[in-house]
Amino acid sequence: MDKLGFKPIPAAVALAIALVIWFLIPVPAGVAPQAWHLLAMFVGIIAAIIGKAMPIGALAILAIMLVAVTGVTAEKPDNAMKDALSSFASPLIWLIGVSIMISRGILKTGLGARIGYLFISVFGKKTLGIGYSLALSELLIAPVTPSNTARGGGIIHPIMKAIASSYDSDPEKGTQSRMGKYLALVNYHSNPITSAMFITATAPNPLVVKLISEATGAEINLTWSTWALAMLLPGLAAIALMPLVLYFIFPPEIKNTPNAAQFAKEELAKLGPMSGAEKIMLGVFAVLLLLWAGVPAMIFGKAFAVDATATAFIGLVLLLLTGVLTWDDVLKEKGAWDTVTWFAAL
């Protein structure tokens, strides 16, 4: 054995924090001892995550084991185990996990890059236009890309970097102010804005929905369409203003970019005509949005309503049946499985 499966120092710190809360800090009045002990484990696990004592999925498994073994939620061992595993049945957790699997299709088919270059080919004659192109690309793919890291870093960032590099704007050369700094900031700020606009735009959102429902005794249940409608105006306002505000705060040295539109057209030419896989991905994209927005139920009545998580499974199955995604693709989507395991434990 070459090395341990955990980092000793961060693990020791996390364990010490948990033990201090469990044994040394008195249980506050009105709080059950079991709840306090559960808090101790929770804080310890969070500390281990911050210290990167183990991968987040492994720490989630550790948390599940601790809940089952310590019996903080139930005296009977079998009931404690059921409690520890209970959230794996949560539809909201599977909604985000399956949606991340679906988003793999946008990366695999190249549809995300095509959308980005298409916007730049139209609006990319000025640096400000490129900024809006990046923001609009983020907005368009956000509903079916729950991994905001994959969306911002895997799809939009390479496009932004390619455009900046074509104008020799590179931080390693000290030329980032030409346009790269501005475009990078637009890329960064677009990500959290679009993440807030849809339940399926980032992993924590379904957890927020669940916590709100539990805190209000199920009086407030946010649906996909309710969330999207509530965030439509503030989200669009932020998308409309953000590139312009950044343009004045961090003005790029190069403001006219006629070559950028041409560069985008050349990249689109390299991609060639839309492939069959891209067309299927686009079709599935449309089906997901229609079902999540509740359009069939609006037109044909409540009998045609489809659950949001069931909709995600429909999308994934369509991609598997058409061969856009393979089961190996799904198995390799580590972010999705990490998300399911972590949020179920959380």
Side-chain angles (χ1 to χ4, degrees):
M1 183 174 66
D2 296 330
K3 59 181 180 179
L4 296 172
F6 63 94
K7 295 179 181 178
I9 294 177
V13 171
L15 178 61
I17 292 172
L19 292 176
V20 166
I21 296 173
W22 188 301
F23 292 107
L24 299 182
I25 300 178
V27 178
V31 177
Q34 293 88 342
W36 189 248
H37 295 159
L38 189 61
L39 174 67
M41 286 190 288
F42 175 78
V43 174
I45 291 294
I46 295 299
I49 291 173
I50 294 172
K52 298 181 179 180
M54 296 177 73
I56 192 169
L59 287 169
I61 295 296
L62 174 63
I64 290 169
M65 180 275 293
L66 288 173
V67 171
V69 171
T70 58
V72 293
T73 62
E75 293 182 3
K76 292 184 178 180
D78 57 337
N79 288 337
M81 190 69 243
K82 289 177 182 177
D83 287 340
L85 296 173
S86 60
S87 285
F88 278 99
S90 170
L92 286 172
I93 289 171
W94 282 100
L95 167 63
I96 206 69
V98 173
S99 296
I100 293 174
M101 298 171 194
I102 291 171
S103 69
R104 169 56 54 182
I106 294 177
L107 283 166
K108 182 179 178 181
T109 62
L111 179 62
R114 184 181 294 277
I115 290 170
Y117 284 124
L118 186 60
F119 274 120
I120 293 172
S121 69
V122 176
F123 303 109
K125 293 182 180 180
K126 293 185 180 295
T127 304
L128 182 61
I130 298 174
Y132 275 105
S133 297
L134 296 175
L136 290 172
S137 300
E138 266 268 1
L139 177 61
L140 190 60
I141 63 177
V144 290
T145 320
S147 174
N148 58 327
T149 303
R151 185 171 70 248
I155 298 175
I156 304 300
H157 177 77
I159 297 173
M160 178 276 296
K161 188 174 181 180
I163 295 293
S165 297
S166 69
Y167 281 87
D168 199 32
S169 182
D170 189 336
E172 293 184 1
K173 298 178 181 179
T175 57
Q176 65 271 16
S177 295
R178 287 186 177 182
M179 70 162 58
K181 182 178 181 180
Y182 167 70
L183 295 180
L185 286 168
V186 171
N187 182 17
Y188 175 81
H189 285 84
S190 298
N191 199 261
I193 293 172
T194 57
S195 294
M197 292 182 68
F198 308 97
I199 286 179
T200 48
T202 189
N205 288 353
L207 182 62
V208 172
V209 172
K210 184 178 180 182
L211 292 175
I212 290 173
S213 178
E214 291 176 350
T216 60
E219 290 184 10
I220 299 177
N221 274 312
L222 295 174
T223 63
W224 191 93
S225 55
T226 302
W227 181 302
L229 186 61
M231 285 303 301
L232 182 63
L233 183 57
L236 290 179
I239 286 290
L241 291 172
M242 178 270 296
L244 189 60
V245 171
L246 288 176
Y247 188 81
F248 285 107
I249 297 176
F250 301 99
E253 294 173 1
I254 299 175
K255 294 178 170 57
N256 294 311
T257 56
N259 294 337
Q262 183 59 37
F263 175 82
K265 290 176 182 177
E266 290 172 0
E267 291 299 313
L268 286 171
K270 290 178 184 177
L271 291 174
M274 281 189 73
S275 65
E278 284 181 278
K279 292 177 182 177
I280 292 170
M281 188 68 233
L282 193 60
V284 171
F285 195 154
V287 169
L288 290 172
L289 290 180
L290 288 172
L291 292 179
W292 275 332
V295 172
M298 294 177 192
I299 298 174
F300 303 108
K302 293 183 179 179
F304 289 86
V306 182
D307 176 78
T309 305
T311 296
F313 274 99
I314 289 172
L316 181 59
V317 168
L318 288 173
L319 293 177
L320 289 170
L321 288 174
T322 55
V324 174
L325 290 179
T326 66
W327 185 241
D328 279 343
D329 291 328
V330 174
L331 291 177
K332 291 175 182 176
E333 193 55 51
K334 296 180 180 179
W337 298 111
D338 264 350
T339 297
V340 169
T341 305
W342 168 240
F343 281 108
L346 184 63

